[in-house]
Amino acid sequence: MERVKRIAAHVDAGLPLVAEPTSAPLPVMENMKTKIAALAGEKSAFKNFLLKYHGERKIQGLTVEMAINGARAVKSMVTETSDLDANLGIAYRHLSLYDVNKDLPKAPGGNVALPEGAFWLLVTGEEPSEEEVHGLTEELHKRHEVPKNVLDTLDTLPLDTHPMTQLSVAMLALQKDSKFNQQYQEGMKKDQYWVYALEDALDIIAKIPTIAAKIYRRTFQDGVVPAYDTNLDWAANFAQMLGVNQDAGFKEAVRLYLMLHADHEGGNVSAHATHLVGSALSDPYYAWAAGLCGLAGPLHGLANQECLSWLLDVQKQLGDQRPTKELLTEFAEKTLKEGKVIPGFGHAVLRNTDPRYMLEREFALTHCTHDPLFQLVDACYHAIPPVLLKQGKVKNPYPNVDAHSGQLMYFYNLKEQNFYTVMFAVSRTLGVMAQYIWSRAIGLPIERPKSVPLEELMNLAKKHRWQREKGKVSDQQ
Ligand code: NMX
Ligand code: MLT
């Protein structure tokens, strides 16, 4: 009460509630920045020294390099749903994406595996029958209604709010209906965790296409979302609600997109963030909201948006010229010279062309081989790996899924690249939700690695050297 009175008096006196930002920062800010800048230079040099001279030293079975470089590819997490082989790419429960696409049920007249089937496979470990996929689609239709408060929340956001921010906000607005959270408050037993995780997972999967379509229509179109159609499968209905193209080809492209991006084991940024937050028993809505924020990063899910922008920019500069390997080599070299990454190429774990890229390429070769943007993507496929190889530092010079997915959407008239990460997110919901269910089903505990300052890392590295010299540990330790 006291606080409210103070605020009222403040307003009555005509004073602003929040200090106006001033163009000239206070001197203390300069002081703070100078200190950070000096320390950052010193610490970065120290980090590089540690990597160079002690990178291979062991600390608790890991190396100094692994601790500094984000535990890249270190086997230190458990994820049941899928496994990424550096050369072969992702397998959903031991099934390569090529086999998933070949073996799982399709829509009538379609050639692409239905993403609902991929979810079934991820969550049960078994290839679903037609009947099971059909039943799951029906279940999702039953749960699809998005509460009005969530749609109203979206409508309060300025239209220039990035679609991924809108999606994260919507995920949090949905959270109040979490069944997992409600049951937890009522004393749910541990063996019931996965049951209510599954409930929330199905609700989120059912509702996210409508939310994504709403974001698309309000941000880029007239704000009117085409009607939800329970006669269609999950992906086709989503494609229809986007309202950009009624072609059967677009529905197939969206099915492929949503099936391919569904899961990429547990270590990628969005899945890991979801797992980490979920490990505190934050419910699936909280956990996926955290994951979505990770997916919005340019080195992760946003790369498909960035990739399309890069391609369109190159296309503009090419004008009437054909996209030859020579010209593309020039563009790629220019991007590198500007100190930028070439979006859609490279990967933290993969060391080969991403099979998701290859499946999209196969689709494009069947459906849109004459599309000028596909021809540009094709030229990049041939030109960019040698440029990255020549540069010498990239561990994987080959394309990842993001180098192709934008072209497919653009071809079917979904042209606003700021929306592409939302497409990725709708799909990835399947994988992270399957992972969440399994983390609770096998009782994985709260995740809490030990962090150390750089100096401590140096001490540990030196201690290891000393122990090795004294013969207290072997070279292998
Ligand atoms: N263009 C230019 N430089 C690159 C690229 C690229 N495509 N890929 C890696 N490098 C650089 C990287 O920045 C690093 O430079 P420095 O030592 O100066 O920091 C060096 O090569 C070694 O990096 P790697 O170990 O090969 O890759 P890392 O595991 O650190 O990063 C990515 C993986 C995916 C972040 C990186 O390849 C990249 O930035 N790619 C472009 C963005 C992209 O396509 N992201 C999408 C990932 C897939 N997804 O769907 O989320
Ligand atoms: C993904 O699909 O999550 C990306 O390829 C990134 C990754 O696996 O690290």
Side-chain angles (χ1 to χ4, degrees):
M1 226 27 225
E2 185 51 35
R3 190 167 164 268
V4 174
K5 273 195 208 146
R6 259 192 297 118
I7 294 173
H10 191 85
V11 173
D12 288 346
L15 298 168
L17 274 179
V18 180
E20 296 280 330
T22 50
S23 48
L26 294 178
V28 69
M29 285 309 298
E30 260 324 293
N31 189 8
M32 186 193 260
K33 279 191 199 161
T34 312
K35 286 178 190 295
I36 296 175
L39 211 54
E42 200 183 291
K43 290 277 178 185
S44 297
F46 187 42
K47 183 198 83 176
N48 293 339
F49 171 85
L50 265 171
L51 278 172
K52 189 164 177 190
Y53 295 105
H54 300 281
E56 296 303 309
R57 296 253 150 80
K58 296 272 167 62
I59 33 163
Q60 290 186 338
L62 302 179
T63 63
V64 167
E65 189 276 334
M66 288 166 179
I68 292 179
N69 281 343
R72 193 80 90 262
V74 174
K75 293 190 176 92
S76 57
M77 289 181 74
V78 171
T79 302
E80 285 290 294
T81 57
S82 66
D83 194 12
L84 181 63
D85 180 278
N87 287 307
L88 302 175
I90 194 70
Y92 293 175
R93 298 279 187 171
H94 306 294
L95 216 58
S96 79
L97 278 187
Y98 298 106
D99 288 341
V100 171
N101 200 36
K102 186 162 61 66
D103 296 351
L104 264 52
K106 322 269 185 293
N111 287 314
V112 165
L114 288 166
E116 295 94 313
F119 179 69
W120 184 282
L121 171 66
L122 292 169
V123 97
T124 68
E126 289 176 12
E127 289 183 42
S129 64
E130 298 266 349
E131 210 184 0
E132 283 164 337
V133 173
H134 188 66
L136 180 55
T137 308
E138 292 291 300
E139 181 65 36
L140 295 175
H141 285 326
K142 257 178 36 203
R143 295 169 183 252
H144 86 269
E145 209 72 53
V146 177
K148 183 171 176 308
N149 69 290
V150 176
L151 300 174
D152 289 349
T153 302
L154 280 172
D155 279 330
T156 64
L157 298 175
L159 290 177
D160 61 353
T161 307
H162 192 280
M164 280 302 284
T165 313
Q166 298 191 42
L167 186 61
S168 316
V169 168
M171 195 52 56
L172 286 175
L174 274 177
Q175 185 276 337
K176 80 176 193 44
D177 297 325
S178 166
K179 293 168 184 159
F180 182 94
N181 183 42
Q182 191 191 335
Q183 291 296 319
Y184 190 83
Q185 301 306 327
E186 290 173 13
M188 164 171 62
K189 298 270 184 307
K190 281 190 175 169
D191 64 2
Q192 292 292 294
Y193 285 179
W194 73 262
V195 177
Y196 289 95
L198 174 62
E199 281 295 323
D200 278 359
L202 291 174
D203 283 342
I204 293 173
I205 295 166
K207 293 175 201 319
I208 203 165
T210 306
I211 293 171
K214 159 89 181 166
I215 292 170
Y216 177 73
R217 299 295 309 179
R218 76 181 289 271
T219 310
F220 303 109
Q221 306 288 341
D222 56 4
V224 181
V225 183
Y228 191 99
D229 188 347
T230 52
N231 294 313
L232 293 173
D233 55 271
W234 183 70
N237 174 58
F238 175 42
Q240 184 156 294
M241 283 194 300
L242 290 170
V244 288
N245 190 325
Q246 298 311 322
D247 262 22
F250 182 50
K251 292 191 175 68
E252 273 287 87
V254 173
R255 287 182 191 116
L256 179 73
Y257 194 117
L258 300 189
M259 183 277 285
L260 290 181
H261 289 76
D263 207 24
H264 222 230
E265 66 164 50
N268 68 75
V269 170
S270 51
H272 190 189
T274 308
H275 175 70
L276 172 67
V277 173
S279 82
L281 296 187
S282 304
D283 62 54
Y285 296 87
Y286 277 133
W288 189 208
L292 287 171
C293 295
L295 194 66
L299 297 187
H300 189 22
L302 206 80
N304 60 8
Q305 159 181 339
E306 306 248 311
C307 190
L308 199 81
S309 304
W310 190 85
L311 289 171
L312 292 178
D313 187 38
V314 171
Q315 200 174 47
K316 201 162 134 202
Q317 294 186 51
L318 277 172
D320 291 338
Q321 301 174 87
R322 222 168 46 80
T324 59
K325 190 174 169 191
E326 291 67 35
L327 283 168
L328 259 298
T329 301
E330 268 175 43
F331 280 110
E333 281 173 349
K334 183 166 164 272
T335 302
L336 292 183
K337 266 200 203 103
E338 287 164 1
K340 297 180 191 152
V341 296
I342 302 177
F345 285 76
H347 198 272
V349 182
L350 273 171
R351 293 294 173 260
N352 212 338
T353 301
D354 190 339
R356 299 174 294 181
Y357 177 94
M358 291 312 285
L359 280 158
E360 290 186 332
R361 182 174 164 79
E362 276 173 24
F363 186 93
L365 286 167
T366 312
H367 291 84
C368 45
T369 184
H370 299 301
D371 174 34
L373 201 56
F374 170 66
Q375 285 164 6
L376 181 56
V377 169
D378 186 50
C380 291
Y381 176 64
H382 298 287
I384 292 177
V387 175
L388 287 174
L389 273 176
K390 199 168 97 196
Q391 189 204 26
K393 61 179 183 175
V394 177
K395 297 200 188 68
N396 171 19
Y398 304 110
N400 63 60
V401 68
D402 295 328
H404 215 312
S405 42
Q407 176 273 330
L408 285 183
M409 294 302 106
Y410 202 85
F411 175 73
Y412 287 108
N413 209 27
L414 187 69
K415 297 206 158 152
E416 297 80 3
Q417 57 262 37
N418 277 12
F419 187 70
Y420 291 176
T421 312
V422 173
M423 297 293 294
F424 192 155
V426 171
S427 170
R428 189 49 63 88
T429 308
L430 301 173
V432 295
M433 287 297 105
Q435 293 187 16
Y436 187 105
I437 293 162
W438 273 95
S439 298
R440 301 293 81 75
I442 59 174
L444 293 180
I446 190 162
E447 196 177 280
R448 178 58 172 93
K450 171 88 185 89
S451 67
V452 289
L454 288 169
E455 273 81 4
E456 175 63 8
L457 208 52
M458 178 71 161
N459 292 339
L460 290 168
K462 280 188 181 152
K463 188 168 153 203
H464 180 263
R465 187 175 59 182
W466 180 83
Q467 284 175 329
R468 218 176 46 190
E469 280 164 10
K470 297 272 171 217
K472 293 192 188 230
V473 295
S474 71
D475 280 355
Q476 273 69 46
Q477 278 177 301

